[in-house]
Amino acid sequence: MARTRSVRGGINKPPSPWVIALGSIAIVVFFGFPYALMFISSLKTRLEITNIPPDYFPAAPRFDNYLTVWASEVDPASSLLATAVIALGATLLVLLVATPAAYYVARFRFPGRMVFLLLVLCTQMLQPTVLAVGLFQEFKGWQGYAVWAALILINAAFNLSFAIWIMQAFFASVPKEIDEAALIDGLGRLQTMFRISLPLVWPGIVTAIVFVFVNSWNEFSAAFILVQQTNLQPLTVSMPRFLGLYIKDWQYLFTVAMIAIVPVVILFSFIERRLIGGLTAGSVK
């Protein structure tokens, strides 16, 4: 392999494996420390958390906190179900709408195409908090399980623009000649999209899935405004109920937070390779 020379005439050597290893460990520690602290805090008692000076480790780990939380009146099981239904429903709805829209935008040049893409991108500036009054007026009549459908629509609407934007970029990276060859062979436009183009843009679809799912899983504002029944509240809304006016059970709050992380970690473990491919696609040719 030819060695490249720097401007001063020296030789650019690759970084030492030890430097790479130490840098990787530093990054893992930096981003993993809050989660480790949250897990340790979930094993403490209320007094150990509020002690001054603080006790960094519990005297006796309280793993029974997880059983206590699971049987509490907050009912994390119902909240976890609500969060999963809303996040999965919003993700599926976004995929159903964004996939054909992104394919059409990438394959056809129509008047106002760039304006449409710009408007799609501008909608990312809007958040449920800004539209709180309007959302409440629109969906205040949705009661019972219908409120989950309202949250699915809201989360899908606020994440649709990003999904269209990123997926159309991946569709555009696929040569048109592939679609034209499929059309010549007798496939229709929808068959070409589903059977030819979609398998080639899976990294982009996975990236959109992760973005929409995580945003919907963590959404708080719309759920806080619309869901009044405690048994229908998602985790983001039910978790603060451990912090009362006089008693603040921080250890239980951290426990539920750890429970809420598990499904997202499972999702990432299944689609990690395709996600990395989606994030790095186009970086090299």
Side-chain angles (χ1 to χ4, degrees), residues 1-7 9-17 19-20:
M1 181 182 297
R3 293 183 177 179
T4 58
R5 294 184 176 273
S6 64
V7 177
I11 297 177
N12 291 332
K13 297 181 180 180
S16 169
V19 174
I20 296 176

Side-chain angles (χ1 to χ4, degrees), residues 33-44 63 66 254-255 258:
F33 177 76
Y35 298 99
L37 183 61
M38 185 164 58
F39 175 70
I40 293 173
S41 299
S42 70
L43 303 179
K44 293 182 179 180
F63 289 98
Y66 287 84
F254 290 129
T255 301
M258 291 302 303

